Amino acid sequence: MNLDRRLFLLAKQHPIPFIASVLLGVLGGLMLIGQAALLSRVIDSIFLKNTGLETILKLMLLFALFSMLRALFNWTSESEANRGTLKIKQSLHERLLGKISVAGPAYTGSMQSGKLSVKILKGVESLDPYFSQFVPQLALSLLIPLAIFAVIFSADPQSGFILLATAPLIPVFMILIGKAAKKASAKQWETLSRMSGNFLDVLQGLTTLKLFGRSRERKHSIFETSEAFRHATMKVLKIAFLSSLALELVGTVGTAIIAVSIGLRLLTGSIAFEPALFILLLTPDFYLPLRQLGTKFHAGMEGVSAANDIFKLLEKPEPEKNII
């Protein structure tokens, strides 16, 4: 997985929304752990311990409270991430327009207007999934699994060691697949820019093309660039589906190993039912943030490709002013 340092510097310019998003996401993860503990306690109390109805109702009310708090924390976490992303996009729009204004007609006239509009509009908007989804998830995929691992390891060290052995496989797959994803996304963005520039040029010169009878030739060129974009997009989707398959496979295998281990120990009586159910409920959620990171990484890859074009323009040296 390749992380763009320049994009993280943009996030550091507006850190408060992203820090709040991560903290709220962690609180949502803690509510998830509380939900699993309460649910395992309720099931154990009803079916094995014959606990009174009053105690069970209290546990259920507490479970409902944790569920509402978790939903609230997750919603506010997403809202804060979107707020920070909006600030970054506004700042980038202002910087891009200012840079183009300073560069003047000499720069704008040297490139296709379609490509330039893609940079300003589509390019900046493509950064939305990167900042609103991938950046917060990068921190949550570390903090939430660590919290779940600590809880599971304290309840059952054997299950903790299984998690410790299988969890590193997910980042390994992400790094390996991420290299191919970056290359494919860069090709997709390049093709999109070329297609947009070509299409806008054809529209602007449509009257002239009709007068000289050359419209059919341009129609074929639009078809060819559209097909190239379709092939590039399908390649990106294939890599994304392959990544999802690999990450889901690791998570499923890890969960299955723990389930078999706990099942065998339940038969021998070496583990109680309540902690066993608690671990089984939490195990899929240990892998979930890591799998979500892989999904959101692919969602943000277009933004990384667009950022390369955006920073090329922003880092372009300003023209020297002639002094008379």
Side-chain angles (χ1 to χ4, degrees), residues 104-148:
Y107 175 76
T108 56
S110 65
M111 65 183 303
Q112 290 179 312
S113 53
K115 285 187 177 182
L116 189 59
S117 65
V118 167
K119 284 184 183 182
I120 299 173
L121 300 176
K122 175 67 175 173
V124 175
E125 289 302 319
S126 297
L127 295 173
D128 195 312
Y130 187 89
F131 288 109
S132 65
Q133 299 178 33
F134 175 68
V135 170
Q137 190 62 37
L138 191 62
L140 293 177
S141 63
L142 175 64
L143 298 174
I144 293 179
L146 276 177
I148 294 176

Side-chain angles (χ1 to χ4, degrees), residues 173-185:
F173 278 117
M174 288 177 62
I175 292 171
L176 293 176
I177 297 174
K179 293 180 180 179
K182 181 187 176 184
K183 185 177 179 180
S185 295

Side-chain angles (χ1 to χ4, degrees), residues 31-306:
M31 294 301 105
L32 171 66
I33 296 173
Q35 282 181 288
L38 288 169
L39 186 58
S40 59
R41 175 72 60 85
V42 167
I43 294 174
D44 184 59
S45 299
I46 293 174
F47 293 101
L48 296 179
K49 294 181 179 177
N50 295 321
T51 306
L53 181 60
E54 183 179 353
T55 303
I56 292 173
L57 285 176
K58 289 180 180 179
L59 292 173
M60 291 299 294
L61 287 173
L62 195 56
F63 178 83
L65 175 62
F66 276 39
S67 300
M68 289 187 291
L69 287 174
R70 180 188 172 195
L72 177 63
F73 287 142
N74 289 339
W75 178 77
T76 49
S77 174
E78 292 178 5
S79 299
E80 284 297 304
N82 289 330
R83 186 168 69 90
T85 303
L86 182 60
K87 288 184 177 181
I88 290 174
K89 290 195 297 183
Q90 288 175 339
S91 174
L92 271 180
H93 272 299
E94 293 173 0
R95 290 174 62 188
L96 280 171
L97 292 175
K99 192 71 176 181
I100 292 172
S101 176
V102 170
Y107 175 76
T108 56
S110 65
M111 65 183 303
Q112 290 179 312
S113 53
K115 285 187 177 182
L116 189 59
S117 65
V118 167
K119 284 184 183 182
I120 299 173
L121 300 176
K122 175 67 175 173
V124 175
E125 289 302 319
S126 297
L127 295 173
D128 195 312
Y130 187 89
F131 288 109
S132 65
Q133 299 178 33
F134 175 68
V135 170
Q137 190 62 37
L138 191 62
L140 293 177
S141 63
L142 175 64
L143 298 174
I144 293 179
L146 276 177
I148 294 176
F149 171 77
V151 171
I152 289 179
F153 190 83
S154 62
D156 180 36
Q158 183 172 330
S159 298
F161 282 121
I162 295 174
L163 293 179
L164 196 61
T166 55
L169 293 176
I170 292 180
V172 169
F173 278 117
M174 288 177 62
I175 292 171
L176 293 176
I177 297 174
K179 293 180 180 179
K182 181 187 176 184
K183 185 177 179 180
S185 295
K187 180 66 181 293
Q188 181 195 29
W189 177 257
E190 180 186 347
T191 308
L192 174 62
S193 299
R194 187 167 60 248
M195 181 182 70
S196 300
N198 187 25
F199 184 67
L200 188 57
D201 283 350
V202 170
L203 287 180
Q204 290 173 340
L206 191 58
T207 304
T208 306
L209 291 171
K210 281 288 186 181
L211 287 174
F212 288 93
R214 306 297 297 270
S215 58
R216 289 186 178 275
E217 294 180 12
R218 304 310 299 171
K219 174 184 174 182
H220 291 303
S221 70
I222 291 175
F223 175 77
E224 290 173 359
T225 54
S226 300
E227 280 294 295
F229 178 66
R230 182 178 70 84
H231 286 299
T233 303
M234 291 304 297
K235 187 173 182 180
V236 170
L237 290 175
K238 286 178 183 178
I239 295 173
F241 285 132
L242 176 63
S243 173
S244 298
L245 174 63
L247 299 181
E248 290 289 340
L249 183 62
V250 172
T252 302
V253 169
T255 303
I257 293 173
I258 289 179
V260 170
S261 169
I262 287 178
L264 292 174
R265 284 183 287 156
L266 277 173
L267 291 175
T268 60
S270 57
I271 188 172
F273 176 79
E274 183 180 338
L277 181 59
F278 174 63
I279 292 168
L280 285 176
L281 289 173
L282 270 186
T283 298
D285 291 304
F286 172 82
Y287 296 103
L288 181 61
L290 296 169
R291 298 202 309 267
Q292 288 177 336
L293 179 64
T295 302
K296 293 175 180 180
F297 169 72
H298 287 288
M301 276 305 298
E302 184 182 14
V304 176
S305 300

